[in-house]
Amino acid sequence: MSATPSVRTVNSAKALTVAAHAAFVPIGIVTVLLAPLLPTLSAQWSLNYSQAGGLFTAQYVTSTLGVGLSGWLVTRWGYRFAIKGGLVVCAAAVAMLMSGSRTLGLVCIAGYGLGLGLAVPPCNLLVAMVNPQRRSAALNLLNFSWSAGAVACPFLIAGASKGHHIPGLLWGVAAFLLLVAIGIALMPASVAEPAADRDAGGNRPPIPWRNPALPVLAALFFVYVGVENAFGGWVASYAKSLGTMALPMALATPSFFYSMLMLGRWIAPFVLRSVNEIRVAQGGLILACLGMAGLEAAHTLTGVALSASLAGLGLAAVYPITIALAPREFGAAASRIGSLLFFAANLGGGCLPWMVGAASNSFGTLKVGIAVPLLGSALMLMLYQRKWSPEAEPAS
């Protein structure tokens, strides 16, 4: 008799983890959509570097609002409700992205940003909560699924651009999002979610504002998402600005970055079995700095590809490890803290890509702007030097 709840819990954990993985593939496509589309949208809408950078800001300002709303939705209706809602909002916005004017396009970018904000934090926190004994490994694998979508996106856009089929491709992505949302909605009632933001007595645990780890983790979330989006978002435009490669190839260059993010997240769980997760993050950030510095000197496709690949491999495990630090540092308050941390992450995702555009516009070259993610990676390496709390033993 006593084994039944345990078996049910294990089965629920597996089902919820699979659902999160299924959601994260199209979410990965949508998150990086602006990177390969940016040269096309800039030409179609006559945007300068600053205006193009503002598109990232539009996506991440509304994504930040979505993050705040997601915490409220999760507390009242559960993780899956917020995930389904985010997927549906993303589908509607992506489908309409290139069907009208620049104003409508901007509204759609803001719309799918909102959807991402609703869905991404619950996916990450849900996987962390149902895999307490292997959080970093589970989150690396989850973000591997995100990376699979992110890797596919530039190739899909590059292929569709040859035949002027980008609007049709966007409708296909929207259909993918809806199918995953329907699949999650049809999960059986026996799949039980962990309770969010409540302790055993049903009370919300207080946010530990005085915990010294809070500002450090908030800064890491802010800078990491900003760095990943600034580098991945601008590398296609940077490759195009070199004038040494055809447009479809330039549009596909973000895939070198995202493919190594994916590979690194697949490898990370094996590495984490024998290497401390903090050491893995520190080593990865050193590698990322080297890759981003190399991009400054790159003049050919080979140089761009090698630099972007090195940066992607270096960053691969950093974000999942950073997310895993929230339950480790804050325990029962992690889901409440998570909303704050993902709020900071989305602010960074909007600010740093815009800073790349603003700096490039001021100096007339993307070589200046692309130094922004390099400096951000160096800052994260400094922040990771703090002494973190030891990993708590999982409750028996």
Side-chain angles (χ1 to χ4, degrees), residues 120-138:
V120 171
C123 281
N124 276 298
L125 291 172
L126 180 59
V127 170
M129 294 299 287
V130 300
N131 296 278
Q133 295 180 317
R134 48 189 297 272
R135 286 193 181 107
S136 289

Side-chain angles (χ1 to χ4, degrees), residues 130-150:
V130 300
N131 296 278
Q133 295 180 317
R134 48 189 297 272
R135 286 193 181 107
S136 289
L139 287 166
N140 268 285
L141 290 175
L142 176 66
N143 283 275
F144 172 87
S145 294
W146 180 93
S147 299

Side-chain angles (χ1 to χ4, degrees), residues 25-30 32-33 35-37 40 94 98 146-174 176 247-256 258:
V25 176
I27 282 174
I29 295 174
V30 176
V32 307
L33 195 58
L37 273 182
T40 301
V94 169
M98 297 190 70
W146 180 93
S147 299
V151 169
C153 182
F155 286 117
L156 293 171
I157 295 296
S161 69
K162 293 179 181 179
H164 305 287
H165 298 312
I166 292 178
L169 172 64
L170 296 178
W171 275 96
V173 173
F176 189 3
L247 179 61
M249 184 55 68
L251 296 182
T253 51
S255 286
F256 293 106
Y258 291 115

